[in-house]
């Protein structure tokens, strides 16, 4: 990077005197005027030559010869302002603080209900309400277990939201459950009277905390091998479209 330094006052005076004596009446200021953009660059390093930081260029500018050098002194003062990088770092810290205030939604800070619906056919709606004092995240999809079943229902990939479903205190999130095939093509059909809803943590298939045990209808809930579930969503209607 090319650096420019302010010329000594004595040398500037000599140049001015020479210009007056040559009879042309015109001052040769080409060497005393660095490119404005380059002057600004030099000002971003005030510690290297002391010109920008001390405003020496501004003083030299009063000689009527090196106005650009005076601008350099002004830029040195501006260089003390926070940079974009400093602001971005501060913004990141704020964002991390916001994330740190959120917790995972689970059976300890929510209430969970499971309710079969008439439409779509053979579907059930899971509703999770944040009963805690902090915002909580419903990550991924619910891990369902009817009675003592030994397999985990598949999630419906098309239902994955673009962002994690976050609930403020008092807010609710939803997941739709497709219980059985409408055309009877499913296998191992059975009626269950107990449901356990598991929650995932920040990473897939990790433990998100205590499970919930929502009450099922007295007659139970019928499901078969086609049992699937949506991701956690903010909108009830969206949860029942799959």
């Amino acid at each position: 990077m090319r650096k420019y330094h302010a010329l000594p006052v004595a040398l500037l005076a000599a140049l001015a005197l020479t210009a007056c004596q040559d009879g042309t009446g015109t001052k040769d200021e080409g060497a005393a005027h660095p490119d404005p953009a380059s002057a600004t660059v030099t000002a971003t390093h005030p510690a290297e030559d002391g010109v920008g930081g001390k405003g020496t260029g501004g003083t030299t500018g009063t000689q009527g010869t090196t106005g650009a050098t005076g601008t350099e002194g002004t830029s040195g003062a501006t260089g003390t302002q926070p940079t974009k990088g400093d602001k971005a770092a501060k913004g990141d810290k704020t964002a991390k603080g916001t994330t740190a205030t959120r917790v995972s939604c689970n059976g300890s800070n929510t209430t969970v209900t499971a309710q079969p619906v008439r439409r779509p056919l053979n579907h059930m709606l899971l509703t999770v309400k944040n009963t805690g004092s902090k915002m909580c995240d419903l990550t991924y999809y619910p891990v369902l277990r009817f009675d003592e079943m030994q397999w985990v229902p598949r999630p419906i990939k098309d239902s994955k939201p673009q962002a994690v479903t976050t609930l403020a205190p008092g807010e609710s999130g939803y997941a739709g459950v497709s219980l059985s095939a409408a055309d009877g093509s499913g296998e191992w059909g059975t009626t269950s009277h107990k449901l356990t809803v598991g929650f995932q943590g920040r990473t897939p298939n990790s433990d998100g905390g205590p499970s919930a045990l929502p009450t099922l209808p007295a007659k139970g809930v019928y499901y078969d091998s086609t049992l699937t579930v949506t991701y956690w969503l903010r909108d009830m209607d969206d949860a029942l479209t799959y």
Side-chain angles (χ1 to χ4, degrees), residues 29-118:
E29 297 180 351
H33 289 275
D35 180 80
S38 299
T40 303
V41 172
T42 304
T44 62
H45 300 279
E48 294 181 359
D49 54 22
V51 175
K54 294 183 180 179
T56 303
T59 301
T60 306
T62 60
Q63 303 297 323
T65 305
T66 54
T69 308
T71 303
E72 182 178 311
T74 303
S75 299
T78 305
T80 62
Q81 301 298 320
T83 64
K84 291 183 179 180
D86 294 334
K87 295 178 180 179
K90 185 176 180 180
D92 290 342
K93 184 178 295 185
T94 303
K96 291 180 180 178
T98 302
T99 303
T101 61
R102 301 203 302 265
V103 298
S104 295
C105 300
N106 54 47
S108 68
N109 55 17
T110 65
T111 57
V112 182
T113 59
Q115 182 63 46
V117 295
R118 292 185 176 183

Side-chain angles (χ1 to χ4, degrees), residues 49-214:
D49 54 22
V51 175
K54 294 183 180 179
T56 303
T59 301
T60 306
T62 60
Q63 303 297 323
T65 305
T66 54
T69 308
T71 303
E72 182 178 311
T74 303
S75 299
T78 305
T80 62
Q81 301 298 320
T83 64
K84 291 183 179 180
D86 294 334
K87 295 178 180 179
K90 185 176 180 180
D92 290 342
K93 184 178 295 185
T94 303
K96 291 180 180 178
T98 302
T99 303
T101 61
R102 301 203 302 265
V103 298
S104 295
C105 300
N106 54 47
S108 68
N109 55 17
T110 65
T111 57
V112 182
T113 59
Q115 182 63 46
V117 295
R118 292 185 176 183
R119 293 286 184 276
L121 190 65
N122 301 338
H123 274 63
M124 181 173 68
L125 178 68
L126 295 179
T127 303
V128 176
K129 183 177 181 179
N130 183 356
T131 57
S133 59
K134 297 182 178 181
M135 297 182 70
C136 70
D137 292 334
L138 279 171
T139 51
Y140 306 105
Y141 53 88
V143 180
L144 304 184
R145 185 183 185 187
F146 285 100
D147 292 329
E148 302 301 323
M149 65 188 298
Q150 301 299 312
W151 55 282
V152 177
R154 300 185 309 277
I156 301 174
K157 294 183 179 180
D158 289 345
S159 67
K160 185 177 181 179
Q162 294 183 349
V164 174
T165 298
T166 299
L167 306 179
E171 290 185 334
S172 296
Y174 307 90
V177 183
S178 178
L179 296 167
S180 59
D183 59 3
S185 59
E187 300 177 334
W188 319 318
T190 185
T191 298
S192 175
H193 294 84
K194 177 184 176 181
L195 173 63
T196 301
V197 178
F199 297 87
Q200 300 187 58
R202 301 293 180 183
T203 58
N205 303 316
S206 63
D207 185 5
S211 300
L213 299 172

Side-chain angles (χ1 to χ4, degrees), residues 6-19 56 59-60 63 65-66:
L7 295 175
V9 175
L11 178 57
L12 292 174
L15 291 174
L17 180 60
T18 302
T56 303
T59 301
T60 306
Q63 303 297 323
T65 305
T66 54

